C-alpha cells in the first residue's frame, strides 16, 4: 500500500518526468498499434479472400517436362535440338492422359471435398444448322485439323476412340457429369433464359444451346439438331434442345479472338456426360482405322476437377498423389490458388511492412524506454538513498519505481491505443493503395513487355486465361482492409506494453539494487 | 583511546547501544575509527565532538546502521547489530537527523514526516494530525508544514528532519550537527527539544561542533583522528 501510495504521489508530483515517459510510450504504442492492426487486417483479409474462393485443382500431363526428358535422353551432351518425334510419341504413349477411372480413384481421397468431370468433343453441324459466326460464312467452311491434344482444356485426357489427331469442328459439345462442372453457369457468365436445365445423369440426348446459336439457326426449345463427326461426316448424332442460355459478352469476345468457331462460347452445346459418352461409344464401335493408324472415332477430351476445402487439403492431396505413385510427369495445378496468391501480393507486402515496423518500433522503443528508465533512476539516486536511509528495503524502493514505470507505461499504452485506433484504418489503406499501385504498375509493364493487350479484371479466384493463349492473367488485387483495432490488437498491445514496462523496470531495479544509501548520501553531502 | 574512569558515573541501566572495540576503514587500510568501546544509555543526551575528519559522521552512520564496522561489534539492546535486519532497525528503532537533512523534495514537510511513520509500520493513529503536531512542536507552523521541502529555509528543513526522526518514537535519536544551520534562538529550541527527548527516556546522540550543545550533553565523547583521545562527562545545568 505504501509502495503504491508513494508511486502515485511520485508520478503526480513529478509531472514533467511522467509526461516525458508517457509521451514516449504513447508514440511507441500508437505505432505498434497501427502495425498490429495492419497485420491483423491483412491476415483477416487474406483469410476472407481464401474462404471466398473455391479451391479447385486439375491433374495435367506435363508435356513440357516430357519433351525436356526426351531432349535430355536423345541429345545428351549436344546442343539443344528439336525432340525426336518417335521418342516423343513413345514417351507420350508411356505417359498418356489419365483416364476417368484413375481420376475417380484419386477423387476418393479424404482431402477432396468434391469431384466433377466433363468431356468435350468438337463436332460439325449437319443439315440446315450452321455454327454462329459474326464473320462471313465462307471463312468458316474450312475445318482445321490438329494433332495431339486440345490445349485449351485443362485436365484433358483422351477417351476411348481418341487415337491420334482430330479435326476441330464447327461447335464444341461439352458433356458434364454434374452442375459443379458447369463453371460458367455457377459464376454467372452463362445463364439459362428459356427452357430448362438438362438432366446430367441421363443419356437422354437433351442439350442446351446459346441464344445466339438458336437465333442464328432459327431454333427454339424442343427442336432437334444434328451434329456430325468431323472425321466421318456420315456419322451424325442428334440432340433435342432443352433450354437456351445467354453468354457473357466480354468472355465471348475474348474467345472469339481465336477465330475458330468451335471456341466461340456461342457455339458451345451442353449435354450430359452420359449422352456424350454414349455418342463416343457408338462412334468407336463404327470407326474405321486408316493405314497410318488414324481412327475416325469421335475424340473426347476429358476434364476432371477436384474441389478442396482449404489450401492445406490441396497440398495434402498433392502429397497423397505422389505417395500413390503418380509420376512427376503429371502435375496438380490450381488456377484459383494462383489467382489468390497473385491478388494477395500487395496485402502480403503490407503485412511484411507492418511486421518490420512492429519489431522496429518495439526494439527501438524498448531501448529508448530502458535508457530513459535507467537515466531516471540515476537522476533519482538521492531519492533511493533517502528511502533506504529511513528504512525502506531496496526491494520495496525498486518495486515502487517499477510501479511508477508500469503505471505511466500503461497510461501511455491506452493513449497510444486510442491514437493508433484512429490512425490505423487510413494508414493501412493508404499503404495498401501504394502497394496495389506498385503491383499494377509492375504487372502492366510486364504485359507491355510481352506485347499483351490490357485485360479486364476478375475477382479473386477468377483467373481469366485466354484459351488461345492471348493476354496474361487478370488479377483483381485486394485493395481494402479493415484495420480496426479490436480486442486482439488491444490485448497484444497491452502485452507488449507490459513487456516493455517490465524490461524498463528491471533495468531500473538493477540500478537501484546497486546503490547503498550511505554512498549516495555521502556523495551528495 | 584512553578512558578517564574516574569521571564515568555508575550507570544503573543496561546500555541500549554498545560499541565494542569497533574500527572502521573505507578502503581497508586507512583507519577512520579504531578500537572504540563506548556505551550509550537510554534517557541520556550524548555529545560527540571532534575535529573535522575525525570520523564523527562515520561513527553516526555506524550507529544508524547505514554502514557496518570493519572491526568490532555494535550491540543494540544486547544484540549484534550486524545480525539484525538493519532496514527494520532504521525504520523503527533509530531516528536520524542528517546533517544535510535528506528530505524528499517532491513531498511536503508533513508528507515527509508521515512517510517515516508509515514506513515504520508502527500503529500510529491519526498520522496526519500527529505529524502536524510534531512539526508544530519543533516550531514549524501548519502553513509551512504543507509546503514542499525546497520552499523551506535551511532552518525549517532542519526542523522537518528532526520531526521526521521523532515521528515513530524511536528509542535512539542520532543527530548530525542538528543546530548547524540555525540561528542562536532556534539552536536553543533544538537543544531544548533534544534534552526533552532524553528526559522522555530516549538515548540522544548528537554529533556537534557547537559548544552550546556540548555543554548540554549528559556525557561527551571526543574523537580524534583514528582514536578517541579522552572521555569526559559534563552535566548541563538543570539536569541530574
Amino acid at each position: 500500500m505504501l509502495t503504491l501510495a508513494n508511486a502515485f504521489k511520485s508520478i503526480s508530483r513529478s509531472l514533467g518526468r511522467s509526461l516525458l515517459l508517457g509521451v514516449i510510450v504513447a508514440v511507441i504504442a500508437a505505432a505498434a498499434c497501427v502495425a498490429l492492426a495492419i497485420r491483423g487486417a491483412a491476415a483477416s483479409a487474406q483469410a476472407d479472400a481464401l474462404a471466398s474462393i473455391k479451391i479447385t485443382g486439375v491433374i495435367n500431363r506435363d508435356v513440357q517436362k516430357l519433351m525436356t526428358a526426351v531432349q535430355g535422353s536423345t541429345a545428351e551432351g549436344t546442343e539443344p535440338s528439336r525432340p525426336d518425334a518417335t521418342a516423343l510419341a513413345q514417351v507420350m504413349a508411356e505417359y498418356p492422359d489419365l483416364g476417368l477411372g484413375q481420376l475417380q480413384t484419386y477423387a476418393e481421397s479424404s482431402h477432396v471435398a468434391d469431384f466433377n468431370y466433363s468431356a468435350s468433343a468438337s463436332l460439325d453441324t449437319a443439315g440446315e444448322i450452321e455454327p454462329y459466326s459474326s464473320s462471313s460464312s465462307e471463312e468458316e467452311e474450312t475445318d482445321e485439323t490438329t494433332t495431339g491434344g486440345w490445349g485449351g482444356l485443362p485436365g484433358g485426357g483422351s477417351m476411348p476412340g481418341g487415337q491420334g489427331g482430330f479435326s476441330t469442328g464447327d461447335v464444341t459439345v461439352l458433356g458434364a457429369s454434374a452442375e459443379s462442372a458447369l463453371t460458367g453457369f455457377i459464376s454467372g457468365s452463362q445463364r439459362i433464359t428459356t427452357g430448362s436445365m438438362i438432366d446430367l445423369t441421363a443419356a437422354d440426348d437433351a442439350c442446351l444451346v446459346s441464344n445466339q446459336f438458336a437465333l442464328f439457326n432459327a431454333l427454339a426449345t424442343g427442336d432437334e439438331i444434328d451434329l456430325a463427326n468431323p472425321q466421318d461426316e456420315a456419322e451424325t448424332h442428334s440432340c433435342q434442345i432443352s433450354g437456351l442460355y445467354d453468354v457473357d459478352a466480354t468472355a465471348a469476345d475474348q474467345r472469339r479472338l481465336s477465330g475458330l468457331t468451335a471456341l466461340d462460347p456461342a457455339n458451345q452445346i451442353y449435354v450430359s456426360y452420359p449422352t456424350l459418352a454414349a455418342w463416343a461409344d457408338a462412334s468407336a464401335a463404327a470407326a474405321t482405322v486408316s493405314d497410318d493408324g488414324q481412327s475416325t472415332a469421335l475424340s473426347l477430351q476429358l476434364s476432371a476437377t477436384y474441389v478442396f476445402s482449404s489450401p492445406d487439403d490441396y497440398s495434402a492431396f498433392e502429397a497423397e498423389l505422389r505417395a500413390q505413385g503418380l509420376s512427376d510427369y503429371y502435375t496438380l495445378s490450381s488456377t484459383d490458388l494462383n489467382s489468390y496468391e497473385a491478388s494477395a501480393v500487395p496485402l502480403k507486402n503490407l503485412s511484411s511492412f507492418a511486421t518490420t515496423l512492429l519489431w522496429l518500433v518495439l526494439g527501438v522503443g524498448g531501448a529508448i524506454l530502458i535508457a530513459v528508465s535507467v537515466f531516471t533512476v540515476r537522476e533519482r539516486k538521492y531519492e533511493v538513498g533517502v528511502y533506504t536511509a529511513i528504512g525502506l528495503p531496496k526491494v520495496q524502493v525498486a518495486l515502487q519505481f517499477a510501479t511508477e514505470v508500469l503505471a505511466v507505461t500503461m497510461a501511455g499504452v491506452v493513449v497510444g491505443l486510442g491514437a493508433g485506433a484512429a490512425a490505423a484504418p487510413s494508414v493501412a489503406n493508404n499503404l495498401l493503395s501504394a502497394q496495389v499501385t506498385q503491383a499494377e504498375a509492375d504487372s502492366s509493364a510486364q504485359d507491355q513487355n510481352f506485347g499483351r493487350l490490357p485485360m479486364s479484371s476478375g475477382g479473386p479466384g477468377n483467373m481469366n486465361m485466354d484459351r488461345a493463349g492471348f493476354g496474361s492473367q487478370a488479377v483483381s488485387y485486394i485493395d481494402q482492409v479493415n484495420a480496426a483495432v479490436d480486442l486482439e490488437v488491444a490485448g497484444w498491445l497491452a502485452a507488449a506494453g507490459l513487456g516493455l514496462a517490465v524490461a524498463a523496470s528491471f533495468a531500473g531495479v538493477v540500478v537501484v539494487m546497486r546503490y547503498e544509501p550511505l554512498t549516495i548520501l555521502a556523495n551528495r553531502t | 583511546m584512553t578512558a578517564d574512569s574516574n569521571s564515568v558515573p555508575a550507570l544503573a541501566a543496561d546500555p541500549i547501544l554498545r560499541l565494542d572495540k569497533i574500527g572502521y576503514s573505507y578502503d581497508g587500510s586507512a583507519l577512520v575509527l579504531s578500537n572504540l568501546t563506548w556505551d550509550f544509555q537510554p534517557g541520556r543526551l550524548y555529545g560527540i565532538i571532534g575535529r573535522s575528519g575525525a570520523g564523527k559522521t562515520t561513527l553516526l552512520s555506524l550507529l544508524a546502521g547505514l554502514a557496518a564496522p570493519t572491526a568490532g561489534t555494535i550491540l543494540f539492546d544486547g544484540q549484534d547489530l550486524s545480525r539484525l535486519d538493519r532496514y527494520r532497525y532504521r525504520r523503527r528503532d533509530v531516528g536520524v537527523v542528517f546533517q544535510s537533512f535528506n528530505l524528499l523534495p517532491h513531498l511536503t514537510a508533513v508528507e515527509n514526516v508521515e512517510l517515516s511513520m508509515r514506513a515504520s509500520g508502527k500503529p500510529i493513529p491519526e498520522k496526519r494530525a500527529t505529524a502536524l503536531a510534531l512539526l508544530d512542536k519543533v516550531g514549524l507552523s501548519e502553513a509551512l508544514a504543507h509546503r514542499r521541502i525546497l520552499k523551506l529555509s535551511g532552518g525549517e528543513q532542519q526542523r522537518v528532519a528532526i520531526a521526521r526522526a521523532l515521528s515513530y518514537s524511536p528509542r535512539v535519536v542520532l543527530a548530525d550537527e542538528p543546530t548547524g544551520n540555525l540561528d542562536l534562538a532556534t539552536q536553543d529550541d533544538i537543544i531544548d527539544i533534544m534534552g526533552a527527548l532524553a528526559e522522555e527516556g530516549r538515548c540522544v546522540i548528537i554529533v556537534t561542533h557547537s559548544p552550546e550543545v556540548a555543554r548540554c550533553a549528559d556525557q561527551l565523547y571526543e574523537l580524534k583522528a583514528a582514536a578517541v583521545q579522552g572521555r569526559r562527562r559534563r552535566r548541563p545545568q538543570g539536569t541530574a
Side-chain angles (χ1 to χ4, degrees), chain A residues 2 6 9-10 12-14 380 382-383 386-394 516-518 521 524-525, chain B residues 24 61 66-67 87-88 90-91 98-100 102-108 111 115-116 118-119 148 164:
Chain A
L2 178 64
N6 282 349
K9 197 166 280 179
S10 179
S12 63
R13 296 289 170 81
S14 309
R380 298 173 68 184
Y382 165 70
E383 213 175 311
V386 173
Y387 279 128
T388 49
I390 65 173
L392 286 177
K394 279 195 273 189
E516 284 300 329
L518 184 60
L521 300 177
R524 185 170 185 271
T525 304
Chain B
Y24 188 82
S61 299
L66 290 166
Y87 286 103
R88 180 185 164 84
R90 287 206 292 270
R91 67 176 178 261
F98 295 95
Q99 191 173 12
S100 52
N102 292 341
L103 299 166
L104 291 168
H106 67 278
L107 300 181
T108 63
E111 285 170 344
L115 175 65
S116 281
R118 294 182 191 282
R148 290 207 195 173
R164 183 182 65 180

Side-chain angles (χ1 to χ4, degrees), chain B residues 45 97 138-139 155 158-159 162 175 177-180 182-197 206 213:
Chain B
L45 176 64
V97 182
V138 297
Q158 185 82 293
R159 291 163 193 268
I162 293 168
E177 299 286 2
T179 57
L182 306 177
D183 56 56
L184 285 175
T186 312
Q187 278 187 30
D188 288 343
D189 290 346
I190 298 300
I191 290 167
D192 288 346
I193 290 169
M194 293 296 172
L197 289 171
I206 302 174
V213 177

Side-chain angles (χ1 to χ4, degrees), chain B residues 3 29 33 40 46 55 58 66 72 102 129 145 153 156 158 173 177 180 186 189-190 193-194 213 219 224 226-227 234:
Chain B
S29 57
L33 300 172
F40 298 95
Y46 294 89
T58 300
L66 290 166
N102 292 341
S153 69
E156 288 162 347
Q158 185 82 293
V173 176
E177 299 286 2
T186 312
D189 290 346
I190 298 300
I193 290 169
M194 293 296 172
V213 177
Q219 198 161 337
K224 288 191 176 177
R234 290 184 182 177

Side-chain angles (χ1 to χ4, degrees), chain B residues 7 33 37 44 50 58 68 89 94 98 104 119 133 135 140 148 175 179 183 199 202 210 224 233:
Chain B
S7 62
L33 300 172
T37 299
R44 296 182 70 82
T58 300
Y89 169 71
V94 62
F98 295 95
L104 291 168
L135 286 166
L140 204 71
R148 290 207 195 173
T179 57
D183 56 56
E199 285 178 3
R202 302 180 209 285
S210 165
K224 288 191 176 177
R233 174 176 174 269

Side-chain angles (χ1 to χ4, degrees), chain B residues 131-144:
Chain B
L132 285 170
L134 205 50
L135 286 166
D136 185 58
K137 187 178 170 184
V138 297
L140 204 71
S141 67
E142 186 168 350
L144 292 174

Side-chain angles (χ1 to χ4, degrees), chain B residues 17-168:
Chain B
L17 275 173
R18 167 170 285 173
L19 308 184
D20 186 10
K21 297 177 182 173
I22 66 154
Y24 188 82
S25 67
Y26 282 106
D27 57 5
S29 57
L31 283 173
V32 180
L33 300 172
S34 174
N35 202 32
L36 286 185
T37 299
W38 291 346
D39 284 349
F40 298 95
Q41 305 287 342
R44 296 182 70 82
L45 176 64
Y46 294 89
I48 297 175
I49 57 171
R51 290 181 181 175
S52 295
K56 301 187 296 297
T57 299
T58 300
L59 177 60
L60 204 72
S61 299
L62 297 179
L63 291 171
L66 290 166
T70 50
T73 310
I74 298 174
L75 298 173
F76 172 72
D77 246 359
Q79 291 181 290
D80 186 351
L81 189 57
S82 65
R83 294 173 185 270
L84 298 176
D85 177 352
R86 285 195 288 162
Y87 286 103
R88 180 185 164 84
Y89 169 71
R90 287 206 292 270
R91 67 176 178 261
R92 293 177 71 96
D93 299 317
V94 62
V96 186
V97 182
F98 295 95
Q99 191 173 12
S100 52
F101 322 135
N102 292 341
L103 299 166
L104 291 168
H106 67 278
L107 300 181
T108 63
V110 69
E111 285 170 344
N112 266 281
V113 177
E114 269 189 284
L115 175 65
S116 281
M117 288 181 178
R118 294 182 191 282
S120 72
K122 291 183 176 176
I124 304 168
E126 303 290 338
K127 292 184 178 66
R128 174 57 61 104
T130 306
L132 285 170
L134 205 50
L135 286 166
D136 185 58
K137 187 178 170 184
V138 297
L140 204 71
S141 67
E142 186 168 350
L144 292 174
H146 291 292
R147 284 193 190 171
R148 290 207 195 173
I149 294 303
L150 294 180
K151 293 191 175 175
L152 297 176
S153 69
E156 288 162 347
Q157 290 185 35
Q158 185 82 293
R159 291 163 193 268
V160 178
I162 293 168
R164 183 182 65 180
L166 306 178
S167 63
Y168 45 94

